[in-house]
Amino acid sequence: TLSSDLATLLSGRYVEIFVQGLSYEEFLIFHNLEDSDDTLRRYINFGGLPGLRPIGLDDPEVVRQYLQGVYNTILVKDIVRRKKVRNVSFLENLIKYVGDNIGKPLSATNIQHYMTSNKNEVSKNLILNYLKAMSEAFLVHDVTRFNLHGKKLLENNDKYYFGDVGLRNFIVGGRRANDIEKIVENLVYQHLIRLGYKVTVGQMYATEIDFVGTKGDDTIYVQAAYLISEESTFEREFGNLQKINDNYPKYVISMKLRSEERFSRNAET
C-alpha cells in the first residue's frame, strides 16, 4: 500500500507519522542511477514509490502493473471498505477528475456541474465525503487557499495534489501535452512538504500565488512553471510575486528559462 501514514503505538497512544515517497535524490540512490534528463523523465513518469526498486524501471508495462496493484489496494482497502463507499464507479470517476485537474481550484459545486453534464447525478455532500476519504487515505492532499490581503483561510475552491505522481499518471492514463505542467506543480508541492513547510495557495485580490509555505516564523512564496518561454509568462510569474509587499523570500521554479542570461537577474525576487 501507499505508505503515507504510519501509526506507532506508544504508551497506549497512537502517534501519526507522515511518510512520503522518494524524493528525486532518493530515487537516484534507490535505483542506482545518474542524474540526467532521461532519469528525471523516469521520475516524472513513474513516481517515487519505493516498491519500484525490486521490479526495476526498464519495462513500463511491469511498472504499470505494480502501480495498478497499489492503486487497487488503496481504493478497496483504504477508501471503499474503510468508508463503506457504495458508489464505487463515481468514486473512480472523481479520482480521475481530480487527477486531470491538478493545480485548479475545485469545489463541490463545479464538480457536481461537471458530473451532471456527463449524466452522473450526485449530491454535493457525497462529493465532499469522497474527497475527504481520498485525502484521509493520502491518495491526494487537500491544499486550502489563504487570503494574503486579509490574512485568513478561505473555505472553498481548494486545490488537490497527489501523494505520488506515478499513481496519478496511472489513474489518468495517456501522455497528454499539458500534463507535464500539472506534474511539475505537483512535484514542487511535494518538495515543499518534504522540506517541512505547511503549504497553502495564496490569494491576493485577482492574483494567485501557487504556494505559500510556512514553517515556524518563516514564510516563502513559490510560483511553479514548466517553461517560461514567453515574455507574458515571465511577467505573470514574477509579477505576481512582486505584488506581495513583504520581505519574505519569493521564488519562481521552472524546468528551463528561455534565456538564462536574460532572466537570471530575477530568478529569485
Side-chain angles (χ1 to χ4, degrees):
T1 61
L2 181 61
S3 298
S4 297
D5 172 30
L6 300 177
T8 304
L9 184 60
L10 296 174
S11 304
R13 296 182 180 181
Y14 285 94
V15 177
E16 184 177 282
I17 303 173
F18 178 67
V19 180
Q20 285 186 270
L22 302 176
S23 67
Y24 179 60
E25 291 79 7
E26 293 166 336
F27 180 83
L28 296 177
I29 296 171
F30 261 60
H31 296 283
N32 194 27
L33 295 170
E34 297 292 330
D35 179 24
S36 68
D37 288 347
D38 181 64
T39 301
L40 180 58
R41 191 176 302 110
R42 289 185 177 195
Y43 183 67
I44 288 172
N45 288 337
F46 300 146
L49 293 182
L52 287 172
R53 179 178 179 179
I55 66 175
L57 306 172
D58 294 330
D59 189 336
E61 178 56 25
V62 173
V63 173
R64 189 195 69 79
Q65 291 174 7
Y66 166 75
L67 293 174
Q68 182 175 29
V70 173
Y71 171 66
N72 288 341
T73 300
I74 296 171
L75 181 71
V76 174
K77 291 186 177 180
D78 295 341
I79 303 179
V80 174
R81 290 181 184 173
R82 182 173 295 179
K83 299 299 181 180
K84 297 180 173 57
V85 171
R86 295 183 179 181
N87 195 341
V88 179
S89 176
F90 167 68
L91 172 63
E92 292 192 271
N93 287 336
L94 179 61
I95 293 172
K96 290 180 181 178
Y97 180 83
V98 173
D100 200 32
N101 287 277
I102 288 173
K104 294 182 179 179
L106 297 180
S107 69
T109 298
N110 59 35
I111 293 174
Q112 185 185 48
H113 289 165
Y114 173 81
M115 294 299 176
T116 300
S117 69
N118 286 274
K119 299 180 180 180
N120 197 339
E121 298 287 344
V122 290
S123 69
K124 293 180 183 178
N125 283 339
L126 184 67
I127 293 170
L128 292 172
N129 288 338
Y130 283 8
L131 287 172
K132 182 179 180 181
M134 291 159 57
S135 298
E136 290 179 348
F138 291 92
L139 179 62
V140 300
H141 295 191
D142 182 353
V143 182
T144 56
R145 294 187 305 129
F146 184 76
N147 188 322
L148 296 174
H149 178 69
K151 302 297 182 182
K152 64 179 180 180
L153 288 173
L154 302 174
E155 296 181 352
N156 54 20
N157 290 328
D158 291 359
K159 291 187 177 184
Y160 291 84
Y161 296 93
F162 275 71
D164 181 80
V165 294
L167 278 177
R168 179 267 169 196
N169 295 338
F170 163 76
I171 292 166
V172 175
R175 292 187 180 182
R176 291 162 292 184
N178 63 340
D179 275 9
I180 185 62
E181 298 176 3
K182 304 172 185 177
I183 295 171
V184 167
E185 188 170 333
N186 204 126
L187 288 173
V188 171
Y189 166 77
Q190 288 177 262
H191 185 65
L192 291 172
I193 293 295
R194 189 173 288 111
L195 292 176
Y197 286 100
K198 179 180 179 181
V199 179
T200 56
V201 177
Q203 189 75 41
M204 186 171 63
Y205 303 114
T207 298
E208 182 177 277
I209 305 301
D210 289 336
F211 302 115
V212 180
T214 56
K215 184 165 53 173
D217 294 330
D218 296 331
T219 299
I220 62 172
Y221 303 99
V222 179
Q223 293 283 80
Y226 167 48
L227 294 176
I228 301 180
S229 57
E230 309 232 348
E231 189 73 32
S232 59
T233 305
F234 175 83
E235 294 297 336
R236 180 183 70 249
E237 300 295 346
F238 287 94
N240 285 353
L241 292 175
Q242 290 170 340
K243 293 176 183 177
I244 304 173
N245 188 25
D246 64 32
N247 294 321
Y248 289 118
K250 302 170 179 67
Y251 303 94
V252 172
I253 299 176
S254 173
M255 292 189 72
K256 186 177 180 181
L257 294 174
R258 179 178 61 181
S259 169
E260 298 294 343
E261 180 177 354
R262 180 177 181 183
F263 292 143
S264 62
R265 68 185 186 277
N266 284 323
E268 180 178 329
T269 60

